Amino acid sequence: LAVAQKLFQRLYDRPSTAAPTRRLHRTAHIAALAALRETSRAVTREVTGWLLYSDDERKLNRDVTEGLVRSGVVSDQFLGELDAHLAKLILSGGASAAAAIECGAHLVQHCVIVEPCLAPAELTATLDALAKAAAQRPGIAPDGLAMLVEQARTKGEKMGGLGDMGMGGVSSPEGKGGRGGGLGGQPRELPDPVGLRETVAQHFDEWARVQDLPAG
């Protein structure tokens, strides 16, 4: 867990202003956390706690939060905790409400609609909160938010008509495992090729060592 905590902390570092470098930094750290999750379920619980109780800038970082969800680092009942927490922030009316709306809308758009890794039912509270924000707070909610929520809900209704077919943890026993059950009966991720994790770990260690070297 100490390694996981260090990785989580470094996940939010900004090693460069260049977008590709930031993306590589984020992807490498999330991949390392996902590898740790395979060895200990406690990693999912602890990372979710660190995420929910960190400052708003971290917990509402939409790219990092999407990465943690998509990789399965935040999954199962812990995804439900994230959903409830995000919904609460969206409806709080506080200074973080706008950022929470943006983060929630990003998760719905990218994790439910554009490149699905979640079923709409897994973000029920967030969808409800976004719908209320779109109706009650037009000055804060972005244009098209209500349409985005409706699109996600329509997708959920269509999926609901398919019954028990392994839809991302909604009703399928396979889906309860988090990343195992996919949307529409498709697996959410394929098994890694033999030796991939070891190769990634070696490159990550070397990259982290270079990152720690003084500039110049």
Side-chain angles (χ1 to χ4, degrees):
L1 289 180
V3 175
Q5 186 173 28
K6 183 66 174 178
L7 287 168
F8 181 80
Q9 291 171 344
R10 292 189 60 170
L11 181 56
Y12 295 92
D13 291 345
R14 289 181 172 270
S16 168
T17 56
T21 302
R22 293 200 306 271
R23 185 164 54 250
L24 173 62
H25 175 91
R26 181 173 63 248
T27 302
H29 282 73
I30 290 175
L33 284 170
L36 288 175
R37 175 184 63 87
E38 295 294 332
T39 64
S40 174
R41 180 175 171 78
V43 170
T44 295
R45 181 185 65 247
E46 295 301 323
V47 169
T48 303
W50 297 331
L51 177 65
L52 298 187
Y53 297 104
S54 59
D55 57 66
D56 288 345
E57 183 178 0
R58 288 191 173 192
K59 79 176 78 175
L60 298 177
N61 184 312
R62 61 187 191 180
D63 293 323
V64 170
T65 302
E66 179 192 350
L68 292 173
V69 170
R70 190 174 294 281
S71 66
V73 175
V74 175
S75 59
D76 300 333
Q77 71 266 32
F78 304 108
L79 179 59
E81 293 180 16
L82 173 62
D83 180 36
H85 192 79
L86 188 56
K88 182 178 179 180
L89 288 176
I90 290 171
L91 298 176
S92 67
S96 61
I101 291 172
E102 181 180 356
C103 182
H106 178 88
L107 290 179
V108 170
Q109 180 176 5
H110 291 274
C111 293
V112 175
I113 298 174
V114 176
E115 192 177 352
C117 64
L118 297 176
E122 294 178 282
L123 291 178
T124 297
T126 297
L127 286 169
D128 289 345
L130 289 174
K132 290 180 180 178
Q136 301 173 5
R137 313 189 72 184
I140 296 179
D143 294 338
L145 182 59
M147 184 179 300
L148 179 70
V149 172
E150 183 61 28
Q151 187 176 356
R153 285 176 167 170
T154 300
K155 183 171 186 176
E157 291 171 359
K158 291 179 179 179
M159 288 172 57
L162 296 177
D164 268 345
M165 296 182 63
M167 294 182 292
V170 178
S171 56
S172 165
E174 291 82 359
K176 292 297 182 182
R179 305 302 93 181
L183 296 173
Q186 298 295 323
R188 286 188 175 177
E189 59 183 16
L190 297 175
D192 292 333
V194 175
L196 175 62
R197 290 185 182 278
E198 292 76 9
T199 302
V200 170
Q202 291 174 2
H203 286 299
F204 177 77
D205 288 342
E206 177 63 19
W207 177 82
R209 184 186 65 80
V210 173
Q211 284 292 111
D212 288 335
L213 293 176

